[in-house]
Amino acid sequence: MQGADKGQAGRLDGHDLRVGIVQARFNDELTSRLAAVCIDELVKLGVAAKHIQHVTVPGALEVPVALQAMADSERFDALVALGCIIRGETYHFELVANESGAGVTRVSLDHHVPIANAILTVENLAQAEARIEEKGRDAARVAVEMANLLDDLLDDLL
């Protein structure tokens, strides 16, 4: 929910983190802006630009397989999924939204790597426009916070 009370964030220090971003090109004008906001926020949080790998795929259904390849490489502390699915007149919206979301979650759980899911699912262009800035920043912050949290948890357990 836009403008929701998100509570107090954990550690947002991106120094020494490597982050992979997979951006769906469908609705490219929107998703490119989403990516730009996310990358800008990652850099503000201390992630070195050279440690951000940004790739694009045709659409939201292709995002999970690219995330999986990145997770398989074991080179990333966190990943980010970016896309924009706008409801149309058919059931296709539900299929793409549900399957892309499930795929992103599966990759995260299977590989034990945090993935910030910022694949927007909206009713119309106006809703997408209203969410780009906040969701792009949120994706970066979630990726950094969760990478640090998992690192801290592993340190405590070992």
Side-chain angles (χ1 to χ4, degrees):
M1 175 171 26
Q2 199 170 10
D5 179 2
K6 298 171 189 167
Q8 181 65 37
R11 189 161 52 101
L12 293 173
D13 178 5
H15 293 89
D16 300 321
L17 294 182
R18 294 179 182 273
V19 179
I21 299 171
V22 178
Q23 172 197 337
R25 291 189 311 269
F26 203 88
N27 293 313
D28 188 54
E29 180 185 330
L30 299 168
T31 64
S32 289
R33 287 177 32 217
L34 191 62
V37 170
C38 180
I39 291 167
D40 182 60
E41 186 70 11
L42 285 169
V43 171
K44 286 178 182 173
L45 294 173
V47 179
K50 68 181 181 179
H51 291 155
I52 300 170
Q53 183 173 354
H54 175 208
V55 300
T56 63
V57 297
L61 288 175
E62 291 76 35
V63 169
V65 73
L67 290 169
Q68 185 171 34
M70 287 180 154
D72 283 342
S73 77
E74 298 183 357
R75 292 181 22 228
F76 299 96
D77 300 295
L79 301 171
V80 178
L82 301 176
C84 182
I85 307 164
I86 301 174
R87 184 180 297 280
E89 297 177 5
T90 67
Y91 178 74
H92 189 67
F93 170 86
E94 283 84 3
L95 177 110
V96 174
N98 291 335
E99 293 302 319
S100 65
V104 169
T105 299
R106 190 173 113 211
V107 172
S108 182
L109 294 173
D110 287 352
H111 291 276
H112 306 281
V113 63
I115 302 177
N117 187 347
I119 298 177
L120 304 178
T121 52
V122 296
E123 296 291 325
N124 53 53
L125 182 61
Q127 287 181 355
E129 292 278 353
R131 285 162 176 76
I132 287 173
E133 294 288 326
E134 183 177 1
K135 292 302 178 184
R137 280 191 306 275
D138 281 352
R141 296 171 70 80
V142 166
V144 169
E145 180 178 353
M146 289 303 295
N148 287 321
L149 174 68
L150 291 184
D151 187 51
D152 292 345
L153 283 173
L154 287 175
D155 285 347
D156 289 346
L157 296 174
L158 298 177

Short mmCIF file of all heavy atoms in Angstrom, two decimals, residues 19-78:
data_model
loop_
_atom_site.label_atom_id
_atom_site.label_comp_id
_atom_site.label_asym_id
_atom_site.label_seq_id
_atom_site.Cartn_x
_atom_site.Cartn_y
_atom_site.Cartn_z
N VAL A 19 24.55 -6.35 -5.99
CA VAL A 19 23.11 -6.44 -6.23
C VAL A 19 22.85 -6.66 -7.72
O VAL A 19 23.40 -5.96 -8.57
CB VAL A 19 22.39 -5.17 -5.75
CG1 VAL A 19 20.89 -5.26 -6.03
CG2 VAL A 19 22.65 -4.92 -4.26
N GLY A 20 22.01 -7.64 -8.02
CA GLY A 20 21.58 -7.89 -9.38
C GLY A 20 20.15 -7.41 -9.58
O GLY A 20 19.30 -7.60 -8.70
N ILE A 21 19.90 -6.77 -10.71
CA ILE A 21 18.56 -6.25 -11.02
C ILE A 21 18.10 -6.87 -12.33
O ILE A 21 18.82 -6.85 -13.33
CB ILE A 21 18.58 -4.72 -11.18
CG1 ILE A 21 19.04 -4.05 -9.89
CG2 ILE A 21 17.21 -4.20 -11.62
CD1 ILE A 21 19.28 -2.55 -10.03
N VAL A 22 16.88 -7.40 -12.32
CA VAL A 22 16.25 -7.90 -13.54
C VAL A 22 15.03 -7.04 -13.81
O VAL A 22 14.11 -6.97 -12.99
CB VAL A 22 15.85 -9.38 -13.43
CG1 VAL A 22 15.18 -9.84 -14.72
CG2 VAL A 22 17.08 -10.25 -13.13
N GLN A 23 15.03 -6.39 -14.96
CA GLN A 23 13.96 -5.47 -15.36
C GLN A 23 13.21 -6.04 -16.56
O GLN A 23 13.82 -6.34 -17.59
CB GLN A 23 14.55 -4.12 -15.74
CG GLN A 23 13.55 -3.16 -16.36
CD GLN A 23 14.22 -2.01 -17.09
OE1 GLN A 23 15.37 -1.68 -16.82
NE2 GLN A 23 13.51 -1.42 -18.04
N ALA A 24 11.90 -6.16 -16.44
CA ALA A 24 11.06 -6.52 -17.58
C ALA A 24 10.92 -5.30 -18.49
O ALA A 24 10.71 -4.18 -18.01
CB ALA A 24 9.68 -6.97 -17.10
N ARG A 25 11.08 -5.51 -19.80
CA ARG A 25 10.96 -4.39 -20.75
C ARG A 25 9.52 -4.08 -21.13
O ARG A 25 9.25 -3.00 -21.67
CB ARG A 25 11.78 -4.69 -22.01
CG ARG A 25 13.27 -4.69 -21.80
CD ARG A 25 14.03 -4.78 -23.12
NE ARG A 25 13.55 -5.84 -23.98
CZ ARG A 25 14.02 -7.09 -24.01
NH1 ARG A 25 15.00 -7.44 -23.19
NH2 ARG A 25 13.53 -7.98 -24.85
N PHE A 26 8.59 -4.99 -20.92
CA PHE A 26 7.19 -4.70 -21.24
C PHE A 26 6.77 -3.49 -20.41
O PHE A 26 7.03 -3.44 -19.21
CB PHE A 26 6.32 -5.92 -20.91
CG PHE A 26 5.03 -5.95 -21.67
CD1 PHE A 26 4.96 -6.54 -22.92
CD2 PHE A 26 3.90 -5.35 -21.15
CE1 PHE A 26 3.78 -6.56 -23.64
CE2 PHE A 26 2.71 -5.36 -21.86
CZ PHE A 26 2.65 -5.96 -23.10
N ASN A 27 6.17 -2.51 -21.04
CA ASN A 27 5.90 -1.20 -20.43
C ASN A 27 7.23 -0.51 -20.11
O ASN A 27 7.45 0.01 -19.00
CB ASN A 27 5.01 -1.32 -19.18
CG ASN A 27 3.62 -1.77 -19.51
OD1 ASN A 27 2.99 -1.25 -20.43
ND2 ASN A 27 3.11 -2.75 -18.78
N ASP A 28 8.11 -0.51 -21.09
CA ASP A 28 9.51 -0.10 -20.92
C ASP A 28 9.69 1.30 -20.36
O ASP A 28 10.57 1.53 -19.54
CB ASP A 28 10.25 -0.22 -22.25
CG ASP A 28 11.74 0.00 -22.10
OD1 ASP A 28 12.36 -0.67 -21.26
OD2 ASP A 28 12.28 0.86 -22.83
N GLU A 29 8.88 2.25 -20.79
CA GLU A 29 9.04 3.61 -20.27
C GLU A 29 8.90 3.62 -18.75
O GLU A 29 9.67 4.24 -18.03
CB GLU A 29 8.02 4.57 -20.89
CG GLU A 29 8.16 5.99 -20.38
CD GLU A 29 7.08 6.93 -20.91
OE1 GLU A 29 6.59 6.72 -22.02
OE2 GLU A 29 6.75 7.87 -20.16
N LEU A 30 7.92 2.87 -18.26
CA LEU A 30 7.69 2.80 -16.81
C LEU A 30 8.77 2.01 -16.11
O LEU A 30 9.30 2.44 -15.08
CB LEU A 30 6.32 2.16 -16.55
CG LEU A 30 5.11 2.91 -17.12
CD1 LEU A 30 3.87 2.04 -17.04
CD2 LEU A 30 4.90 4.22 -16.39
N THR A 31 9.11 0.84 -16.65
CA THR A 31 10.09 -0.02 -15.96
C THR A 31 11.49 0.57 -16.02
O THR A 31 12.28 0.36 -15.10
CB THR A 31 10.07 -1.46 -16.49
OG1 THR A 31 10.47 -1.49 -17.86
CG2 THR A 31 8.69 -2.08 -16.34
N SER A 32 11.81 1.31 -17.06
CA SER A 32 13.12 1.96 -17.11
C SER A 32 13.23 3.06 -16.05
O SER A 32 14.29 3.23 -15.44
CB SER A 32 13.39 2.54 -18.50
OG SER A 32 13.60 1.49 -19.42
N ARG A 33 12.15 3.78 -15.83
CA ARG A 33 12.14 4.78 -14.76
C ARG A 33 12.24 4.11 -13.39
O ARG A 33 12.96 4.58 -12.51
CB ARG A 33 10.90 5.65 -14.85
CG ARG A 33 10.98 6.62 -16.03
CD ARG A 33 9.77 7.49 -16.25
NE ARG A 33 9.03 7.88 -15.09
CZ ARG A 33 7.70 7.99 -15.06
NH1 ARG A 33 6.99 7.76 -16.15
NH2 ARG A 33 7.09 8.35 -13.96
N LEU A 34 11.54 3.00 -13.23
CA LEU A 34 11.61 2.23 -11.99
C LEU A 34 13.05 1.79 -11.73
O LEU A 34 13.56 1.91 -10.61
CB LEU A 34 10.68 1.02 -12.11
CG LEU A 34 10.36 0.19 -10.89
CD1 LEU A 34 9.63 0.99 -9.82
CD2 LEU A 34 9.49 -0.99 -11.32
N ALA A 35 13.72 1.30 -12.77
CA ALA A 35 15.12 0.87 -12.63
C ALA A 35 16.03 2.03 -12.29
O ALA A 35 16.92 1.91 -11.43
CB ALA A 35 15.58 0.19 -13.93
N ALA A 36 15.83 3.16 -12.92
CA ALA A 36 16.69 4.32 -12.66
C ALA A 36 16.56 4.77 -11.20
O ALA A 36 17.57 5.07 -10.54
CB ALA A 36 16.33 5.48 -13.60
N VAL A 37 15.34 4.80 -10.68
CA VAL A 37 15.13 5.19 -9.28
C VAL A 37 15.79 4.18 -8.35
O VAL A 37 16.45 4.54 -7.37
CB VAL A 37 13.61 5.32 -8.97
CG1 VAL A 37 13.36 5.49 -7.48
CG2 VAL A 37 13.01 6.48 -9.75
N CYS A 38 15.62 2.90 -8.65
CA CYS A 38 16.20 1.84 -7.83
C CYS A 38 17.72 1.93 -7.81
O CYS A 38 18.34 1.88 -6.73
CB CYS A 38 15.74 0.48 -8.35
SG CYS A 38 16.38 -0.91 -7.42
N ILE A 39 18.33 2.07 -8.96
CA ILE A 39 19.79 2.15 -9.04
C ILE A 39 20.30 3.39 -8.31
O ILE A 39 21.29 3.32 -7.57
CB ILE A 39 20.25 2.12 -10.51
CG1 ILE A 39 19.98 0.73 -11.10
CG2 ILE A 39 21.72 2.50 -10.65
CD1 ILE A 39 20.09 0.66 -12.62
N ASP A 40 19.62 4.51 -8.49
CA ASP A 40 20.02 5.74 -7.79
C ASP A 40 19.99 5.54 -6.28
O ASP A 40 20.90 5.94 -5.57
CB ASP A 40 19.09 6.89 -8.21
CG ASP A 40 19.47 8.20 -7.56
OD1 ASP A 40 20.61 8.67 -7.77
OD2 ASP A 40 18.62 8.75 -6.82
N GLU A 41 18.95 4.88 -5.79
CA GLU A 41 18.84 4.65 -4.34
C GLU A 41 19.90 3.67 -3.86
O GLU A 41 20.46 3.85 -2.77
CB GLU A 41 17.43 4.14 -3.98
CG GLU A 41 17.18 4.01 -2.49
CD GLU A 41 17.07 5.33 -1.75
OE1 GLU A 41 16.99 6.40 -2.37
OE2 GLU A 41 17.07 5.28 -0.50
N LEU A 42 20.19 2.64 -4.65
CA LEU A 42 21.25 1.70 -4.25
C LEU A 42 22.58 2.42 -4.09
O LEU A 42 23.30 2.20 -3.11
CB LEU A 42 21.40 0.59 -5.30
CG LEU A 42 20.32 -0.49 -5.30
CD1 LEU A 42 20.45 -1.37 -6.55
CD2 LEU A 42 20.37 -1.33 -4.03
N VAL A 43 22.89 3.31 -5.02
CA VAL A 43 24.14 4.07 -4.94
C VAL A 43 24.12 4.98 -3.71
O VAL A 43 25.12 5.08 -2.99
CB VAL A 43 24.39 4.86 -6.25
CG1 VAL A 43 25.55 5.83 -6.11
CG2 VAL A 43 24.63 3.88 -7.41
N LYS A 44 22.99 5.63 -3.43
CA LYS A 44 22.88 6.48 -2.24
C LYS A 44 23.09 5.67 -0.96
O LYS A 44 23.57 6.20 0.04
CB LYS A 44 21.52 7.17 -2.19
CG LYS A 44 21.37 8.30 -3.18
CD LYS A 44 20.00 8.92 -3.11
CE LYS A 44 19.85 10.01 -4.14
NZ LYS A 44 18.47 10.53 -4.20
N LEU A 45 22.72 4.40 -0.99
CA LEU A 45 22.88 3.53 0.18
C LEU A 45 24.29 2.94 0.27
O LEU A 45 24.58 2.19 1.20
CB LEU A 45 21.85 2.41 0.16
CG LEU A 45 20.39 2.86 0.31
CD1 LEU A 45 19.44 1.68 0.09
CD2 LEU A 45 20.15 3.48 1.68
N GLY A 46 25.14 3.29 -0.69
CA GLY A 46 26.53 2.87 -0.61
C GLY A 46 26.93 1.71 -1.51
O GLY A 46 28.09 1.29 -1.49
N VAL A 47 26.01 1.18 -2.29
CA VAL A 47 26.37 0.11 -3.22
C VAL A 47 27.17 0.74 -4.36
O VAL A 47 26.71 1.70 -4.99
CB VAL A 47 25.13 -0.62 -3.77
CG1 VAL A 47 25.53 -1.71 -4.76
CG2 VAL A 47 24.28 -1.20 -2.64
N ALA A 48 28.35 0.21 -4.61
CA ALA A 48 29.19 0.75 -5.70
C ALA A 48 28.52 0.45 -7.04
O ALA A 48 28.01 -0.66 -7.25
CB ALA A 48 30.57 0.11 -5.65
N ALA A 49 28.51 1.43 -7.93
CA ALA A 49 27.90 1.24 -9.24
C ALA A 49 28.45 0.01 -9.95
O ALA A 49 27.71 -0.71 -10.63
CB ALA A 49 28.09 2.49 -10.09
N LYS A 50 29.74 -0.26 -9.77
CA LYS A 50 30.34 -1.42 -10.44
C LYS A 50 29.86 -2.74 -9.83
O LYS A 50 30.06 -3.80 -10.42
CB LYS A 50 31.87 -1.34 -10.38
CG LYS A 50 32.46 -1.49 -8.99
CD LYS A 50 33.96 -1.38 -9.01
CE LYS A 50 34.52 -1.55 -7.60
NZ LYS A 50 35.97 -1.47 -7.58
N HIS A 51 29.19 -2.69 -8.67
CA HIS A 51 28.66 -3.89 -8.04
C HIS A 51 27.16 -4.06 -8.26
O HIS A 51 26.52 -4.86 -7.59
CB HIS A 51 28.97 -3.89 -6.55
CG HIS A 51 30.42 -4.06 -6.26
ND1 HIS A 51 30.99 -3.60 -5.09
CD2 HIS A 51 31.42 -4.62 -6.97
CE1 HIS A 51 32.27 -3.88 -5.11
NE2 HIS A 51 32.56 -4.49 -6.24
N ILE A 52 26.63 -3.28 -9.20
CA ILE A 52 25.22 -3.40 -9.58
C ILE A 52 25.19 -3.95 -11.00
O ILE A 52 25.71 -3.33 -11.92
CB ILE A 52 24.49 -2.05 -9.53
CG1 ILE A 52 24.54 -1.47 -8.12
CG2 ILE A 52 23.04 -2.22 -10.01
CD1 ILE A 52 24.05 -0.02 -8.04
N GLN A 53 24.59 -5.12 -11.16
CA GLN A 53 24.42 -5.68 -12.52
C GLN A 53 22.95 -5.59 -12.88
O GLN A 53 22.09 -6.14 -12.18
CB GLN A 53 24.90 -7.12 -12.61
CG GLN A 53 24.78 -7.64 -14.03
CD GLN A 53 25.40 -9.02 -14.22
OE1 GLN A 53 26.03 -9.57 -13.32
NE2 GLN A 53 25.21 -9.56 -15.40
N HIS A 54 22.67 -4.91 -13.97
CA HIS A 54 21.30 -4.64 -14.41
C HIS A 54 21.10 -5.30 -15.76
O HIS A 54 21.81 -5.00 -16.71
CB HIS A 54 21.11 -3.12 -14.50
CG HIS A 54 19.80 -2.70 -15.05
ND1 HIS A 54 19.66 -1.51 -15.72
CD2 HIS A 54 18.57 -3.25 -15.05
CE1 HIS A 54 18.41 -1.36 -16.10
NE2 HIS A 54 17.73 -2.41 -15.70
N VAL A 55 20.13 -6.21 -15.83
CA VAL A 55 19.80 -6.86 -17.10
C VAL A 55 18.31 -6.67 -17.38
O VAL A 55 17.53 -6.41 -16.46
CB VAL A 55 20.15 -8.37 -17.09
CG1 VAL A 55 21.63 -8.58 -16.83
CG2 VAL A 55 19.32 -9.13 -16.08
N THR A 56 17.96 -6.80 -18.64
CA THR A 56 16.54 -6.70 -19.02
C THR A 56 16.09 -8.00 -19.67
O THR A 56 16.89 -8.73 -20.25
CB THR A 56 16.28 -5.52 -19.98
OG1 THR A 56 16.97 -5.74 -21.20
CG2 THR A 56 16.71 -4.20 -19.36
N VAL A 57 14.80 -8.26 -19.53
CA VAL A 57 14.15 -9.42 -20.14
C VAL A 57 12.87 -8.93 -20.80
O VAL A 57 12.40 -7.83 -20.51
CB VAL A 57 13.85 -10.53 -19.10
CG1 VAL A 57 15.14 -11.07 -18.49
CG2 VAL A 57 12.92 -10.02 -18.00
N PRO A 58 12.28 -9.74 -21.69
CA PRO A 58 11.09 -9.25 -22.41
C PRO A 58 9.91 -8.84 -21.52
O PRO A 58 9.31 -7.80 -21.74
CB PRO A 58 10.71 -10.44 -23.30
CG PRO A 58 12.00 -11.16 -23.53
CD PRO A 58 12.75 -11.02 -22.23
N GLY A 59 9.56 -9.66 -20.53
CA GLY A 59 8.40 -9.34 -19.72
C GLY A 59 8.50 -9.93 -18.33
O GLY A 59 9.49 -10.58 -17.97
N ALA A 60 7.43 -9.75 -17.55
CA ALA A 60 7.44 -10.19 -16.14
C ALA A 60 7.56 -11.70 -16.01
O ALA A 60 8.14 -12.18 -15.03
CB ALA A 60 6.17 -9.69 -15.45
N LEU A 61 7.04 -12.46 -16.95
CA LEU A 61 7.16 -13.92 -16.85
C LEU A 61 8.59 -14.40 -17.03
O LEU A 61 8.93 -15.50 -16.58
CB LEU A 61 6.23 -14.61 -17.87
CG LEU A 61 4.75 -14.54 -17.54
CD1 LEU A 61 3.93 -15.14 -18.68
CD2 LEU A 61 4.43 -15.24 -16.23
N GLU A 62 9.42 -13.61 -17.66
CA GLU A 62 10.82 -13.99 -17.87
C GLU A 62 11.73 -13.55 -16.72
O GLU A 62 12.88 -13.97 -16.64
CB GLU A 62 11.33 -13.41 -19.19
CG GLU A 62 10.71 -14.03 -20.42
CD GLU A 62 9.28 -13.57 -20.70
OE1 GLU A 62 8.96 -12.39 -20.45
OE2 GLU A 62 8.48 -14.41 -21.17
N VAL A 63 11.24 -12.70 -15.84
CA VAL A 63 12.05 -12.20 -14.73
C VAL A 63 12.59 -13.33 -13.85
O VAL A 63 13.78 -13.37 -13.54
CB VAL A 63 11.27 -11.14 -13.91
CG1 VAL A 63 11.99 -10.82 -12.61
CG2 VAL A 63 11.07 -9.88 -14.73
N PRO A 64 11.75 -14.30 -13.42
CA PRO A 64 12.28 -15.33 -12.51
C PRO A 64 13.44 -16.15 -13.08
O PRO A 64 14.36 -16.49 -12.33
CB PRO A 64 11.05 -16.22 -12.24
CG PRO A 64 9.89 -15.30 -12.41
CD PRO A 64 10.30 -14.41 -13.56
N VAL A 65 13.43 -16.47 -14.35
CA VAL A 65 14.52 -17.30 -14.88
C VAL A 65 15.83 -16.53 -14.90
O VAL A 65 16.90 -17.09 -14.64
CB VAL A 65 14.16 -17.91 -16.26
CG1 VAL A 65 14.18 -16.86 -17.37
CG2 VAL A 65 15.09 -19.06 -16.59
N ALA A 66 15.78 -15.23 -15.16
CA ALA A 66 17.00 -14.42 -15.11
C ALA A 66 17.47 -14.29 -13.66
O ALA A 66 18.68 -14.35 -13.38
CB ALA A 66 16.77 -13.05 -15.74
N LEU A 67 16.54 -14.12 -12.73
CA LEU A 67 16.90 -14.08 -11.31
C LEU A 67 17.54 -15.39 -10.89
O LEU A 67 18.52 -15.41 -10.14
CB LEU A 67 15.66 -13.82 -10.44
CG LEU A 67 15.04 -12.44 -10.51
CD1 LEU A 67 13.69 -12.43 -9.80
CD2 LEU A 67 15.96 -11.39 -9.91
N GLN A 68 17.00 -16.49 -11.39
CA GLN A 68 17.55 -17.80 -11.05
C GLN A 68 18.98 -17.94 -11.55
O GLN A 68 19.85 -18.45 -10.83
CB GLN A 68 16.68 -18.90 -11.64
CG GLN A 68 17.11 -20.29 -11.22
CD GLN A 68 16.12 -21.34 -11.64
OE1 GLN A 68 15.49 -21.24 -12.69
NE2 GLN A 68 15.97 -22.35 -10.82
N ALA A 69 19.26 -17.47 -12.75
CA ALA A 69 20.63 -17.53 -13.28
C ALA A 69 21.57 -16.69 -12.41
O ALA A 69 22.69 -17.11 -12.11
CB ALA A 69 20.66 -17.04 -14.73
N MET A 70 21.11 -15.53 -11.98
CA MET A 70 21.93 -14.69 -11.10
C MET A 70 22.14 -15.38 -9.76
O MET A 70 23.25 -15.38 -9.22
CB MET A 70 21.28 -13.32 -10.91
CG MET A 70 21.37 -12.42 -12.12
SD MET A 70 20.58 -10.82 -11.78
CE MET A 70 21.47 -9.78 -12.93
N ALA A 71 21.09 -15.95 -9.21
CA ALA A 71 21.21 -16.65 -7.93
C ALA A 71 22.15 -17.84 -8.05
O ALA A 71 22.96 -18.09 -7.15
CB ALA A 71 19.83 -17.09 -7.43
N ASP A 72 22.06 -18.58 -9.15
CA ASP A 72 22.95 -19.73 -9.39
C ASP A 72 24.42 -19.32 -9.40
O ASP A 72 25.28 -20.10 -9.00
CB ASP A 72 22.62 -20.40 -10.72
CG ASP A 72 21.38 -21.27 -10.66
OD1 ASP A 72 20.93 -21.64 -9.56
OD2 ASP A 72 20.84 -21.59 -11.75
N SER A 73 24.70 -18.10 -9.83
CA SER A 73 26.09 -17.64 -9.92
C SER A 73 26.72 -17.43 -8.54
O SER A 73 27.94 -17.40 -8.43
CB SER A 73 26.17 -16.33 -10.71
OG SER A 73 25.75 -15.23 -9.90
N GLU A 74 25.89 -17.26 -7.52
CA GLU A 74 26.33 -16.99 -6.16
C GLU A 74 27.23 -15.75 -6.04
O GLU A 74 28.04 -15.63 -5.14
CB GLU A 74 27.03 -18.22 -5.56
CG GLU A 74 26.12 -19.42 -5.46
CD GLU A 74 26.77 -20.63 -4.82
OE1 GLU A 74 27.96 -20.58 -4.48
OE2 GLU A 74 26.05 -21.63 -4.65
N ARG A 75 27.04 -14.80 -6.97
CA ARG A 75 27.83 -13.58 -6.97
C ARG A 75 27.09 -12.39 -6.35
O ARG A 75 27.66 -11.32 -6.23
CB ARG A 75 28.21 -13.21 -8.41
CG ARG A 75 29.18 -14.17 -9.05
CD ARG A 75 29.57 -13.79 -10.48
NE ARG A 75 29.36 -12.40 -10.80
CZ ARG A 75 28.74 -11.97 -11.90
NH1 ARG A 75 28.27 -12.80 -12.78
NH2 ARG A 75 28.60 -10.68 -12.13
N PHE A 76 25.84 -12.58 -5.95
CA PHE A 76 25.03 -11.45 -5.51
C PHE A 76 24.56 -11.64 -4.07
O PHE A 76 24.19 -12.74 -3.66
CB PHE A 76 23.82 -11.28 -6.42
CG PHE A 76 24.21 -11.00 -7.84
CD1 PHE A 76 24.27 -12.03 -8.77
CD2 PHE A 76 24.55 -9.72 -8.23
CE1 PHE A 76 24.65 -11.77 -10.08
CE2 PHE A 76 24.94 -9.46 -9.53
CZ PHE A 76 24.99 -10.49 -10.46
N ASP A 77 24.58 -10.55 -3.32
CA ASP A 77 24.07 -10.55 -1.95
C ASP A 77 22.56 -10.37 -1.92
O ASP A 77 21.89 -10.79 -0.98
CB ASP A 77 24.72 -9.42 -1.15
CG ASP A 77 26.23 -9.58 -1.10
OD1 ASP A 77 26.69 -10.57 -0.51
OD2 ASP A 77 26.94 -8.73 -1.69
N ALA A 78 22.01 -9.73 -2.96
CA ALA A 78 20.57 -9.51 -3.07
C ALA A 78 20.23 -9.28 -4.54
O ALA A 78 21.09 -8.89 -5.34
CB ALA A 78 20.14 -8.30 -2.24
#
